[in-house]
């Protein structure tokens, strides 16, 4: 079984738990995901089944879009709502909308981030959250990410009872961006503690929320003998040039041979046989050579 499943991940589940559940439903061991979502985050989580796991890195490279909420006035250990409170600063008055927009603009473009201590980033072979749980000191690496767009979705709300302010936002960013950390960075620019209080991934790996399937959808389809949720592998490369192989060329490709295709000028080619994606070849001078083989990929 091979294909791509754009899953709607519900809150309360880890990405790993979603992979495990789909393995059980499909009776297929070879399944991976294209970018971890924290348990408190819902939304698009693209899963790759069988031969599609070879395309995980390509799918992960795409930009992502989120909708969420930042709360100003409180910071937590995990930088989101699930952590313990480590700092409070009641706001005497709400921040002006233009001030917040200015801070968000400062965080647009290429920026540096230090991943949260409670994250899956590896340092010397161990996850950061392992150091955190054991209360062991560790130097967190800094990474460079790109924020393409960071804007408010509505006017900020100020809670006079808690003296906290919430900001509903949308952000479009590169892979590797921690939205939790972005919320903290916004608070730092405003000189108040902050955390990410809600988050939904609305777009990732080329799929939007409207294209996702819930586990209920998947279970219903399987009970009906259907697998509409399992999309073909070429959904991962919609912009790549296609080439239909002749029977002779197909024999060469099966043996990992290079191809001479003088009429083709694209840097990469998706090779098909009988309209089924079989391989991705890369241009090298006057010929195309194997880059990724997907020979046994019939749905």
């Amino acid at each position: 079984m091979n294909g791509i499943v754009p899953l709607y991940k519900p809150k309360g589940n880890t990405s790993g738990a979603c992979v495990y559940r789909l393995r059980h439903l499909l009776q297929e061991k070879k399944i991976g995901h294209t970018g971890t979502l924290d348990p408190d985050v819902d939304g698009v989580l693209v899963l790759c089944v069988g031969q599609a796991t070879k395309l995980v890195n390509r799918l992960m490279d795409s930009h992502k879009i989120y909708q969420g909420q930042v709360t100003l006035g409180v910071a937590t250990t995990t930088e989101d709502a699930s952590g313990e409170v480590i700092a409070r600063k009641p706001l005497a008055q709400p921040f002006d909308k233009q001030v917040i927009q200015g801070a968000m603009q400062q965080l647009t473009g290429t920026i540096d981030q230090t991943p949260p201590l409670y994250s899956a980033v590896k340092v010397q072979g161990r996850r950061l959250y392992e150091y955190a749980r054991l209360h062991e000191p560790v130097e967190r690496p800094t990474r460079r990410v790109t924020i393409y767009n960071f804007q408010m979705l509505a006017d900020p709300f100020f809670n006079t009872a808690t003296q906290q302010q919430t900001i509903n936002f949308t952000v479009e960013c590169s892979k590797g961006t921690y939205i939790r950390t972005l919320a903290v960075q916004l608070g730092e620019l405003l000189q108040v503690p902050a955390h990410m209080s809600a988050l939904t991934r609305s777009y990732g790996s080329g799929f939007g929320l409207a294209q996702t399937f819930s586990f209920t959808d998947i279970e219903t389809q399987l009970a009906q003998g259907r697998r509409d949720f399992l999309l073909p592998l070429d959904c991962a490369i919609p912009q790549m040039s296609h080439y239909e192989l002749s029977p002779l060329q197909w024999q060469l490709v099966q043996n990992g041979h290079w191809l001479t295709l003088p009429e083709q000028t694209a840097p990469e080619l998706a090779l098909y046989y009988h309209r089924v994606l079989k391989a991705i070849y890369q241009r090298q001078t006057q010929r195309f050579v194997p880059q990724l083989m997907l020979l046994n990929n019939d749905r």
Side-chain angles (χ1 to χ4, degrees):
M1 189 178 298
N2 305 286
I4 295 170
V5 181
L7 177 73
Y8 171 77
K9 188 193 89 66
K11 290 182 180 179
N13 289 289
T14 65
S15 299
C18 290
V19 169
Y20 179 81
R21 185 172 176 181
L22 191 64
R23 283 175 180 163
H24 176 74
L25 289 172
L26 300 185
Q27 295 298 295
E28 170 67 50
K29 291 183 179 180
K30 199 172 183 180
I31 298 179
H33 62 72
T34 59
T36 301
L37 279 183
D38 294 330
D40 284 349
V41 181
D42 65 343
V44 180
L45 179 66
V46 177
L47 304 182
C48 294
V49 181
Q51 292 287 305
T53 55
K54 296 179 180 180
L55 297 167
V56 163
N57 288 337
R58 287 179 174 269
L59 288 164
M60 287 181 69
D61 282 341
S62 70
H63 70 285
K64 296 173 175 62
I65 301 175
Y66 298 86
Q67 275 79 49
Q69 186 182 80
V70 177
T71 296
L72 304 177
V74 176
T76 70
T77 52
T78 57
E79 303 183 354
D80 61 16
S82 66
E84 298 178 6
V85 174
I86 55 174
R88 289 185 187 273
K89 183 179 180 180
L91 307 183
Q93 59 184 18
F95 285 97
D96 185 78
K97 180 179 179 179
Q98 283 68 37
V99 172
I100 297 172
Q101 287 176 327
M104 296 173 90
Q105 186 61 38
Q106 289 185 58
L107 291 169
T108 302
T110 301
I111 64 172
D112 290 330
Q113 285 194 323
T114 301
L117 188 55
Y118 285 88
S119 66
V121 173
K122 280 189 174 182
V123 175
Q124 297 182 346
R126 295 168 61 191
R127 307 285 186 184
L128 282 177
Y129 62 73
E130 295 178 299
Y131 289 96
R133 289 170 181 170
L134 295 172
H135 303 288
E136 293 182 4
V138 60
E139 185 174 345
R140 290 178 283 169
T142 297
R143 58 172 61 175
R144 185 151 289 184
V145 299
T146 302
I147 309 299
Y148 304 106
N149 184 38
F150 188 24
Q151 294 184 344
M152 282 186 282
L153 289 173
D155 289 341
F157 172 75
F158 183 66
N159 188 322
T160 55
T162 62
Q163 292 184 285
Q164 297 170 10
Q165 191 170 16
T166 55
I167 304 161
N168 291 310
F169 67 87
T170 181
V171 61
E172 182 178 0
C173 57
S174 65
K175 71 171 185 177
T177 302
Y178 275 93
I179 311 301
R180 286 182 282 159
T181 302
L182 191 65
V184 172
Q185 290 175 296
L186 180 62
E188 288 172 349
L189 286 175
L190 297 171
Q191 298 184 335
V192 293
H195 71 281
M196 183 193 77
S197 41
L199 191 67
T200 296
R201 183 191 282 166
S202 57
Y203 180 90
S205 302
F207 295 90
L209 275 175
Q211 298 168 280
T212 59
F213 297 88
S214 67
F215 275 117
T216 299
D217 295 331
I218 293 171
E219 290 168 346
T220 299
Q221 286 192 19
L222 289 174
Q224 297 171 347
R226 297 163 49 214
R227 296 191 309 197
D228 299 343
F229 61 85
L230 191 65
L231 306 182
L233 273 63
D234 51 10
C235 288
I237 50 170
Q239 307 302 322
M240 190 177 294
S241 297
H242 293 192
Y243 183 84
E244 183 70 23
L245 298 166
S246 68
L248 177 58
Q249 290 171 328
W250 171 228
Q251 289 297 322
L252 292 172
V253 168
Q254 288 184 86
N255 292 316
H257 202 276
W258 50 265
L259 297 175
T260 301
L261 304 170
E263 73 281 10
Q264 299 296 323
T265 59
E268 290 182 313
L269 277 181
L271 303 183
Y272 287 73
Y273 187 62
H274 290 168
R275 299 183 180 181
V276 177
L277 178 64
K278 293 297 182 181
I280 295 174
Y281 268 41
Q282 187 177 48
R283 184 179 181 84
Q284 283 190 4
T285 60
Q286 300 303 311
R287 62 187 184 182
F288 284 86
V289 299
Q291 185 183 50
L292 188 62
M293 307 304 291
L294 302 161
L295 301 181
N296 302 312
N297 61 355
D298 296 322
R299 288 179 64 189

